[in-house]
Amino acid sequence: MLDVGMWRELERFLMGFKKRMLIAGYGMHGYGESAVKLFLSMRHSGPSPNDVTFVAVLSACAHAGMVNEGREVFECMKRDYGLVPRTEHFVCMVDMYGRAGMLEEAMQFIRDYISGEPGPVVWTAMVGACKMHKDFDLGVEVAERLLAVEPENPGHYVLLSNIYALKGKMDKVEKIRNVMIHRRLKKQTGYSSIEIDHVVHVFRMGDTLHPKSAEVYKLLEELVHKIKEAGYVPETDSVLHELEDEEREVALRFHSEKLAVAFGIMNTKDGTLIRIVKNLRMCSDCHLAIKFISIVTDREIIVRDKHRFHHFKEGNCSCQDYW
C-alpha cells in the first residue's frame, strides 16, 4: 500500500499532468492568455513546471502571437528551474518569432541558441514563416538547407516548390517535380473527415467516391455563390501559379474541408455544430471561406487541422487568423 508521502507525491504528479494538459489545450484552441495565466499559477503555487510544461506554454504563446511572454517563459526555464532547452523548445521559439513576422529574430535565435546544424523541424518552422510572410528569398535559402538535412522527405520538396511558385519561378517548380519523380517521392494526400450518426465520412480534394458526391458538389456551388455575395474573394495564391485564375479558383473550391463542411450542412439540422478533422494544415482560402460559410449558414464550425483547432462562428475564428 502507498504511504502518506507517496499519496501526496502521486497527487502532485496528477495535478501537474492535469495543468500541463490544460495549458496545451488552451494553446491549441486559441486561448493563449489562459495558457500563460495557468502557467504563472503553477510558478506561484505549484506544482513546478517541467520541460513538457514549457513546450506547451511556448507553443501557446507562438499560436497567440504573445512574443514578449514567450521570451520570458523561455528565459526562466534555465534561470529559475535549471532546465536545459531541447529541440521542441527551440522549435516553439522559432515558430513564435516566425508567425509574428520577426524572421530576422528567428534566424538570430537559431544562430545564438542552436549548436551545430539545426534539425529539420526547426527549418520546417522557419520555411512556413517565410511563406506566411512572403519572404521568398529567405524561404528558398531555408528550404534548401532543409532539403540538405532531410533529402528523402517529400513534404520538404513541396514546401520549396510552393515558394518557387509564389515567386513565379515555374522552371524551378518543374525541376523539383522532376527530382521527386526520379526519387519516387509522393506528396502526402490531404483529406478531411466528418462523423454523422456514428459514421465517419472521408473526403479528398475533387474526388467523387462518396455516394452523395453530386449533392455535395451542388450544395458547395450554392455556398460559394452565397459567400461571394457576402464579400468572399478566393485567395488563389493557395494554388500553383501555372494555372489560370479561373482554374485556380475551381481547384480551391473543391478542397476536402469545403466538401466535408458542405456534407455536414446537408446532413444535419439548422444550428447543429459541425466538426471536421483535416490531416494537413488548412489552407488560407479554406480558412477564409469557412469564416464566410459560418455567416451565411448561421452555423458554428470546428476544424481540427494538423496544428490546432479552429472554431468558426459568425465570421470569426478562434485562431484570430494566426495559425
Side-chain angles (χ1 to χ4, degrees), residues 4 22 34-35 37-38 51 58 96 117 150 158 171 181 200 258 277 297-298 309:
V4 174
L22 281 172
S34 297
K37 184 177 180 180
L38 182 54
D51 59 344
L58 286 172
M96 181 187 73
E117 179 64 34
E150 199 172 45
V158 174
D171 57 326
I181 292 170
V200 176
K258 292 191 182 83
V277 176
T297 62
D298 194 24
F309 287 85

Side-chain angles (χ1 to χ4, degrees), residues 228-241:
K228 281 185 174 180
E229 288 184 337
Y232 162 72
V233 178
E235 295 191 358
T236 54
D237 278 352
S238 298
V239 182
L240 289 177
H241 285 214

Side-chain angles (χ1 to χ4, degrees), residues 85-286:
R86 296 184 282 107
T87 298
E88 292 86 346
H89 304 104
F90 296 144
V91 171
C92 287
M93 291 298 291
V94 171
D95 192 36
M96 181 187 73
Y97 284 125
R99 289 175 185 273
M102 303 168 67
L103 301 180
E104 182 51 45
E105 287 85 347
M107 291 296 291
Q108 190 60 49
F109 178 88
I110 292 171
R111 289 190 286 267
D112 290 345
Y113 286 93
I114 302 178
S115 58
E117 179 64 34
V121 287
V122 174
W123 290 131
T124 299
M126 195 67 216
V127 173
C130 292
K131 182 182 175 185
M132 180 187 301
H133 296 286
K134 302 188 187 316
D135 189 332
F136 302 129
D137 290 333
L138 180 58
V140 168
E141 175 190 334
V142 174
E144 289 178 344
R145 296 181 73 165
L146 176 60
L147 280 175
V149 297
E150 199 172 45
E152 298 306 316
N153 188 325
H156 303 338
Y157 291 89
V158 174
L159 278 173
L160 181 56
S161 175
N162 288 342
I163 290 174
Y164 277 135
L166 289 168
K167 200 174 180 182
K169 294 193 172 184
M170 300 313 300
D171 57 326
K172 298 284 189 179
V173 173
E174 187 63 28
K175 183 177 179 180
I176 291 172
R177 285 180 177 173
N178 290 335
V179 171
M180 292 183 69
I181 292 170
H182 178 72
R183 297 190 176 189
R184 298 181 179 179
L185 300 174
K186 293 185 178 181
K187 176 183 176 181
Q188 185 178 4
T189 301
Y191 64 85
S192 298
S193 63
I194 181 171
E195 183 176 337
I196 303 288
D197 295 331
H198 308 293
V199 177
V200 176
H201 302 264
V202 179
F203 296 88
R204 292 175 176 80
M205 185 182 75
D207 73 28
T208 57
L209 299 177
H210 195 279
K212 291 190 176 181
S213 288
E215 298 169 62
V216 171
Y217 279 82
K218 181 181 178 182
L219 177 58
L220 185 54
E221 292 284 4
E222 294 172 1
L223 286 172
V224 170
H225 179 72
K226 288 180 180 179
I227 64 177
K228 281 185 174 180
E229 288 184 337
Y232 162 72
V233 178
E235 295 191 358
T236 54
D237 278 352
S238 298
V239 182
L240 289 177
H241 285 214
E242 62 188 20
L243 301 176
E244 298 296 330
D245 288 343
E246 186 175 342
E247 293 175 318
R248 277 187 254 167
E249 183 178 334
V250 171
L252 286 171
R253 189 173 303 175
F254 303 127
H255 277 190
S256 64
E257 51 267 61
K258 292 191 182 83
L259 296 172
V261 167
F263 181 81
I265 292 171
M266 187 175 73
N267 288 279
T268 56
K269 296 179 181 179
D270 289 348
T272 302
L273 172 67
I274 295 173
R275 293 182 174 89
I276 308 294
V277 176
K278 164 108 181 185
N279 70 321
L280 303 177
R281 180 184 183 274
M282 187 187 305
C283 80
S284 57
D285 180 74
C286 285

Side-chain angles (χ1 to χ4, degrees), residues 38-47 49 72 76 79-81:
L38 182 54
F39 169 76
L40 294 176
S41 78
M42 291 182 71
R43 295 196 64 188
H44 181 261
S45 58
E72 173 55 27
C76 82
R79 183 189 67 210
D80 300 336
Y81 297 96

